[in-house]
Structures are given as C-alpha cells and as structure tokens.
C-alpha cells in the first residue's frame, strides 16, 4: 500500500542517510535518481510512489525465489512463533536438518557444514579451515574474482580498487588470470593450502572460463595436495541452470561456500561445506575453533530448508536454463542493433552479463532501464558490464518485457551519447 506522503518519506530517508549512514552513498543514489523502495513480491519491487519495477538484479543473486516466496515466509513465520534464535546450549533440529539436506544435494564428498550469515563469512571460514587442515598458508586466487570485503575474503578478491586502501591485507594470497591454466600451474606449489575460485566470475563481469578449465584446476590441486575451494555464493542453487556451477564440468570441491539465495530472499544465510578429509583435521582437536553466534539460527535454517524444497519442487534449475536461453537470445538481438556500443552478451542460465564497448555506457543504460521499469546494475569489478540476474521464477512474458525495455534503453542511451559527441 502506497504511503500517504511518499515525497516527505524519501526526503526524510535521504537526510538520515546523509547524517547517519553514508553521505557519499546518499549523493550517489540521489544523483542516479533512485527512489524509496516500499514493498516487493515475486519478480517485482514497488517504490513509495507506487512505481513497479521488474527485478532483473535480484539482490545480486539473493532473490532466486523472488521476493517473499510464500513457502519460505510461512516456514519462517512458524519458526518465529516457536524459537527465533538458538540458545547456543542445546542441539538445534533446524540446523541439523539443513546441514543434512545440503549434504544430499551438493556434489562429491562434501558432507559437513559450518552455517553462517553471509558470503564473506563463508569465505573467511573456508580460509581458516583450509589453513588448519593443511598446515599451509598460501592461497591462489584469480584476478577479477570477488569473495567479499572482510579482511580475509578481501585478500582473496582480485581488484585493487577495493584492496589497496586496506593494505597490508592478510599475507599469502597470490592472484593469477582467470581461465589461464598455465598461470595457475606456475602459482600452485607444494606450499599452497588451496585455490579459491568461482565457477563463473560474477563481480568480475559474468566471465565464463574456457571449457575444461575447472577440471584442470581440480586435477592440479590433487597433484599438489592443495584444496579446491569453490565459491558458489553467486553461482549456487540453480543460478547457472544447474544446482551448482561446478556441475557443468563434474568438478568435486574440497570446500564450497554458499550464501545469497540460501535464505530464500527472506533471511540472511551462508554456509561453508567440506569433505570429511578436510573437516576432521580442522575441527577434531577443538570443535569450537571456528564458530558464529547467529550462524545457523533457527530462522535461517528453516528458510534454507524451504528454499531447497522450492528449488526442487518448482524445477527451478531447469527453469533457469530455459529462461536464460530465452533472455540471452533476446539480448543478443538487441546487441545486433547496437554493435558499436555492445561488445558481447554472455552468460549461463540466469546469470547474464552485457558487455559495453566504452566506459560509462553501462551506467547510462542502467538509468534508462530503471526509467522503463527494469532494475539492473553493473558488476563491481568490471563497470563495463551490467548484469541480469532475475529470480529463477521469471516468466517468458517477463523475459520479453526485460528485452524490450533494454532495447528502448539502448536507443535512448545511444541518442544521448550522440548528443554528447560520443
């Protein structure tokens, strides 16, 4: 329901951002013309003015089930009335049930779960577990990779604009080009605890590695007694048309990180999963060597269970593959109309990147899309790429609307660039 005075509410919220949140962020969002989000359902977000937007950003991968999926909301509401947070003293059935269900759906011998609240926490846990299990400290990561912004995960991330202001970071992290197996072979040695890698680079610009690359990295890790740590925070749980991104190459990690969509778009949830061969040396001596006060809380656990149930019951992995193909075809048709501005449209499932030929075009296009009722954003490590990661429940008509809006947005963007002399 639309509030009585949306303009006053927006002005009041902006002022509070300036005074109490982040003045620079307020200036950036106000300049971009963003309003005040008010409610959301399914694939749509509605602002305080009553304007409805097709969410093709999906919270950077959070809203795979859409907004407020009824089965997830129902599960959380029931648990809320029973016990919202754990006492941390007794056994927790929701936590145990979620860990069991995760072990049943992940690839390979991943069996144990450390439950947390976010992707960066999941990566931090993986780093610590790998060091404890291997008694080694070196990690090989990829340029353009993104694993979070806390100190350990930031050390693994591969873009200097985020890293340099916080130097010195955690030592022992080496970065090589993504998709370059020769560089990976040179970097991984007998002192390497693990390789941290995304099946598809999300914030790097929706970059898909060459066929066979992930398998070669896995074989290299085995040969050098290093752990393969796969970051599925953005690619996991159906996003790429398979339950997990590594399944496209049949790769079985030693450690895997999950988050974003695990909470069904209702409760923050993350997980670090490992094989018995990794978990036992990491936790056997001290089972509390790594822990979290809120990780695996009952609300998050039941949300995760409901999420996995919905993905299976509604066939969302298959739907992601089908709708992704439809969206890719449509976006590539638009690309053909603007060859001087759009260099490439690439993706897998409903994880799609639109690559522009010049800087700043993506930012202009995002604004034009928003004006036409479609939410998108560019990727953090590559501003030339805007992403489309809509909910996996998106319909054919909604895909077609997004393509049509993108075509209109590109027409407006191209005209604006001509006026500016671009």
């Amino acid at each position: 329901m639309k509030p009585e005075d949306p303009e006053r509410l927006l002005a009041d919220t902006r002022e509070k951002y300036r005074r109490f949140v982040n003045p620079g962020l307020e200036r950036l969002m106000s300049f971009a013309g963003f309003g005040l989000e008010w409610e959301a359902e399914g694939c749509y977000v509605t602002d305080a003015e009553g304007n409805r937007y097709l969410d093709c950003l999906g919270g950077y991968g959070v809203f795979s089930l859409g907004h407020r999926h009824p089965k997830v909301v129902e599960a959380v509401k029931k648990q809320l009335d029973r016990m919202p947070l754990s006492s941390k003293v007794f056994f927790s059935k929701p936590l145990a049930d979620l860990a069991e269900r995760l072990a049943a759906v992940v690839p390979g011998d991943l069996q144990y779960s450390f439950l947390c609240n976010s992707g960066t926490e999941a990566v931090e846990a993986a780093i610590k577990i790998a060091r404890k299990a291997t008694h080694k400290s070196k990690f090989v990561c990829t340029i353009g990779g993104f694993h979070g912004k806390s100190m350990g995960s930031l050390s693994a991330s591969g873009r200097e604009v985020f890293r340099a202001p916080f130097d010195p970071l955690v030592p022992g992290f080496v970065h090589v080009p993504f998709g370059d197996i020769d560089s990976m072979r040179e970097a991984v040695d007998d002192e390497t605890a693990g390789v941290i890698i995304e099946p598809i680079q999300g914030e790097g610009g929706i970059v898909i590695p060459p066929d066979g690359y992930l398998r070669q990295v896995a074989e290299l890790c085995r040969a050098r007694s290093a752990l393969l740590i796969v970051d599925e925070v953005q690619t996991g749980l159906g996003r790429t048309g398979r339950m997990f991104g590594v399944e496209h190459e049949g790769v079985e990690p030693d450690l895997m990180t999950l988050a974003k969509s695990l909470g069904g778009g209702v409760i923050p949830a993350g997980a670090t999963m490992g094989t018995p061969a990794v978990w036992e040396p990491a936790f056997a001596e001290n089972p509390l060597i790594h822990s979290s006060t809120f990780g695996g809380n009952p609300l998050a656990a039941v949300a995760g269970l409901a999420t996995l149930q919905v993905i299976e019951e509604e066939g969302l992995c298959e739907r992601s593959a089908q709708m992704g193909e439809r969206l890719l075809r449509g976006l590539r048709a638009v690309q053909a109309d603007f060859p001087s501005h759009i260099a490439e449209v690439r993706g897998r499932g409903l994880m799609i990147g639109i690559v522009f030929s010049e800087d700043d075009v993506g930012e202009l296009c995002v604004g034009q899309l928003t004006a036409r009722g479609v939410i998108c954003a560019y990727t953090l490590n590559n501003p030339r790429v805007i992403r489309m990661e809509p909910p996996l429940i998106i319909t054919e008509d909604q895909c077609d609307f997004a393509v049509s809006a993108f075509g209109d947005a590109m027409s407006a963007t191209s005209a604006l660039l001509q006026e500016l002399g671009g």
Side-chain angles (χ1 to χ4, degrees), residues 104-252:
V105 300
V106 293
D109 197 25
L110 296 169
Q111 179 178 339
Y112 295 102
S113 291
F114 166 75
L115 297 175
C116 54
N117 308 284
S118 67
T120 196
E121 289 177 69
V123 173
E124 294 284 351
I127 291 169
K128 291 177 65 178
I129 291 168
R131 283 190 168 179
K132 182 70 167 59
T134 63
H135 301 289
K136 296 186 284 188
S137 60
K138 179 181 175 181
F139 291 93
V140 179
C141 315
T142 58
I143 297 169
F146 184 83
H147 304 285
K149 291 179 180 175
S150 52
M151 290 298 280
S153 59
L154 182 59
S155 302
S157 294
R159 191 179 180 211
E160 284 302 306
V161 69
F162 295 116
R163 292 165 47 87
F166 303 102
D167 283 336
L169 295 172
V170 179
F173 288 79
V174 175
H175 294 80
V176 300
F178 184 65
D180 184 342
I181 192 61
D182 291 332
S183 296
M184 184 68 73
R185 286 196 182 101
E186 290 181 10
V188 179
D189 55 27
D190 293 337
E191 300 303 313
T192 303
V195 173
I196 305 176
I197 197 165
E198 300 161 277
I200 296 173
Q201 284 192 339
E203 303 302 336
I206 316 298
V207 183
I208 303 172
D211 289 342
Y213 172 71
L214 294 177
R215 285 196 303 273
Q216 291 175 307
V217 173
E219 291 166 0
L220 177 61
C221 287
R222 303 289 181 265
R224 302 287 169 81
S225 297
L227 301 180
L228 177 62
I229 306 168
V230 175
D231 185 334
E232 293 263 10
V233 168
Q234 195 163 163
T235 54
L237 303 179
R239 175 55 55 185
T240 68
R242 299 281 183 91
M243 183 64 87
F244 300 99
V246 290
E247 292 182 321
H248 291 279
E249 291 201 19
V251 169
E252 298 181 357

Side-chain angles (χ1 to χ4, degrees), residues 166-370:
F166 303 102
D167 283 336
L169 295 172
V170 179
F173 288 79
V174 175
H175 294 80
V176 300
F178 184 65
D180 184 342
I181 192 61
D182 291 332
S183 296
M184 184 68 73
R185 286 196 182 101
E186 290 181 10
V188 179
D189 55 27
D190 293 337
E191 300 303 313
T192 303
V195 173
I196 305 176
I197 197 165
E198 300 161 277
I200 296 173
Q201 284 192 339
E203 303 302 336
I206 316 298
V207 183
I208 303 172
D211 289 342
Y213 172 71
L214 294 177
R215 285 196 303 273
Q216 291 175 307
V217 173
E219 291 166 0
L220 177 61
C221 287
R222 303 289 181 265
R224 302 287 169 81
S225 297
L227 301 180
L228 177 62
I229 306 168
V230 175
D231 185 334
E232 293 263 10
V233 168
Q234 195 163 163
T235 54
L237 303 179
R239 175 55 55 185
T240 68
R242 299 281 183 91
M243 183 64 87
F244 300 99
V246 290
E247 292 182 321
H248 291 279
E249 291 201 19
V251 169
E252 298 181 357
D254 299 295
L255 288 164
M256 176 188 284
T257 60
L258 301 171
K260 291 192 182 294
S261 63
L262 181 59
V266 176
I267 296 290
T272 305
M273 300 193 65
T275 65
V278 173
W279 220 255
E280 289 165 8
F283 288 98
E285 182 179 332
N286 181 355
L288 297 176
I289 195 71
H290 189 74
S291 61
S292 169
T293 299
F294 295 112
N297 68 76
L299 295 178
V302 298
L305 282 164
T307 296
L308 295 172
Q309 180 183 358
V310 169
I311 291 172
E312 180 179 355
E313 290 179 349
E314 299 187 10
L316 294 187
C317 293
E318 297 80 7
R319 186 172 189 81
S320 175
Q322 294 164 2
M323 294 300 102
E325 281 298 317
R326 187 182 189 93
L327 200 51
L328 275 170
R329 283 196 305 270
L331 295 172
R332 284 171 176 162
V334 176
Q335 176 193 0
D337 293 333
F338 299 93
S340 62
H341 295 312
I342 305 174
E344 185 182 3
V345 177
R346 61 195 181 207
R348 182 171 285 164
L350 284 169
M351 188 173 183
I352 297 171
I354 302 163
V355 188
F356 292 94
S357 304
E358 312 147 65
D359 291 339
D360 302 324
V361 178
E363 186 174 354
L364 291 173
C365 187
V366 166
Q368 294 293 338
L369 274 167
T370 304

